[in-house]
Amino acid sequence: MSGNNPEPILIRAASKSNGITSIVIGCAGLVFAALWFVLLPDWLFLAGILITSAALVTLLVGYFKIREPEFSLEMTTEVITYRHRLGSWRIHWENLQRADCPRVRQGLEHVGLETVGFKLKDYTEFLTSISPRLATHLLMEQRPLLLHNTNEGCATGSCYEESMFDDNHFTLNNGTVLTGVKAMLANRMAELRKRLGYDVFIATSDIDRTPEEFAALISQCQAARRTNKVQ
């Protein structure tokens, strides 16, 4: 990322680890279950069903792990790219205002969330580059974030429902009017900025280090870019 190191930084998702191992364990479990049914008496049939179910679940977990891209994030000197099996999004460094670990109130204290937030200068590039399938996934994945720093004056709880299903049209700075799932994502980003101070979030399962370490890496990359510009 610096002038002496133009190679991209590749981040592997923690959730992708042990995918092959899970598949091997799942296959071994199915073989064991088959032998269980053949060799053991009928009164142990229910236990065999439980072993089969566990093996199938393990097999599915491994399958979904290996379906994900090899690297979840790629950071070059120009852009941060997030990759998912449902699509990708990108943020140019020039459009990134800051990145850090959001904190929420819990009683009298502020505690950090297990995520890294990105605050953007403009939504246009992000929303035009993201696929509708990934936008839908983010809407589902990030719903729990709406529960934090809620409006204390909303006694009925309807404020939460309105922000979760806000499908009003959204107008970008360049005049483009978004509708459908991308408008919902844009409204969700605006709402999360009000509550948590950030627009886009990356879960700890998508990175290979702690949120604090990843946020520090982003800050180092931004500092390196500023230094290179001065030079």
Side-chain angles (χ1 to χ4, degrees):
M1 291 296 295
S2 65
N4 298 324
N5 183 25
E7 294 297 322
I9 298 175
L10 301 174
I11 304 294
R12 189 189 302 271
S15 60
K16 187 175 174 63
S17 61
N18 300 320
I20 299 297
T21 302
S22 297
I23 289 179
V24 171
I25 293 174
C27 291
L30 289 178
V31 172
F32 180 76
L35 293 174
W36 183 284
F37 289 126
V38 171
L39 300 176
L40 295 180
D42 292 343
W43 63 274
L44 291 174
F45 180 80
L46 183 58
I49 293 295
L50 294 176
I51 294 173
T52 303
S53 300
L56 288 173
V57 169
T58 305
L59 199 60
L60 284 173
V61 169
Y63 170 71
F64 284 114
K65 282 177 177 285
I66 64 174
R67 283 184 65 193
E68 295 295 337
E70 184 69 16
F71 299 100
S72 59
L73 284 159
E74 179 181 355
M75 297 188 291
T76 67
T77 56
E78 298 297 327
V79 66
I80 304 171
T81 303
Y82 171 79
R83 293 190 176 90
H84 189 273
R85 61 184 173 83
L86 298 178
S88 63
W89 55 250
R90 64 177 181 268
I91 300 173
H92 274 79
W93 289 103
E94 297 292 343
N95 191 37
L96 178 62
Q97 184 168 336
R98 65 189 179 100
D100 208 341
C101 304
R103 301 176 67 83
V104 297
R105 297 188 303 273
Q106 284 192 359
L108 300 177
E109 299 181 349
H110 284 76
V111 298
L113 299 177
E114 290 297 307
T115 185
V116 178
F118 294 81
K119 186 174 183 179
L120 309 183
K121 297 176 183 177
D122 184 81
Y123 287 0
T124 303
E125 179 193 26
F126 179 87
L127 290 170
T128 53
S129 68
I130 193 171
S131 69
R133 293 179 67 198
L134 181 56
T136 302
H137 172 75
L138 293 182
L139 285 168
M140 298 297 292
E141 181 183 62
Q142 297 178 357
R143 280 189 302 176
L145 295 176
L146 291 172
L147 296 174
H148 298 290
N149 292 348
T150 54
N151 182 1
E152 296 179 356
C154 184
T156 63
S158 61
C159 301
Y160 169 70
E161 295 177 1
E162 291 171 1
S163 60
M164 185 170 63
F165 300 108
D166 189 353
D167 59 351
N168 294 323
H169 294 177
F170 189 93
T171 304
L172 299 173
N173 289 340
N174 64 359
T176 301
V177 177
L178 299 179
T179 59
V181 67
K182 289 196 175 184
M184 291 181 67
L185 180 59
N187 288 315
R188 171 73 60 80
M189 291 165 63
E191 181 65 27
L192 288 174
R193 177 183 284 203
K194 292 178 184 177
R195 300 191 184 196
L196 300 175
Y198 301 92
D199 308 296
V200 183
F201 298 83
I202 293 181
T204 53
S205 59
D206 288 325
I207 54 180
D208 56 5
R209 61 202 73 195
T210 67
E212 292 77 14
E213 290 172 339
F214 183 71
L217 175 62
I218 296 293
S219 298
Q220 291 170 9
C221 292
Q222 288 184 302
R225 280 180 53 82
R226 287 193 293 267
T227 301
N228 290 337
K229 284 185 176 182
V230 172
Q231 295 175 349

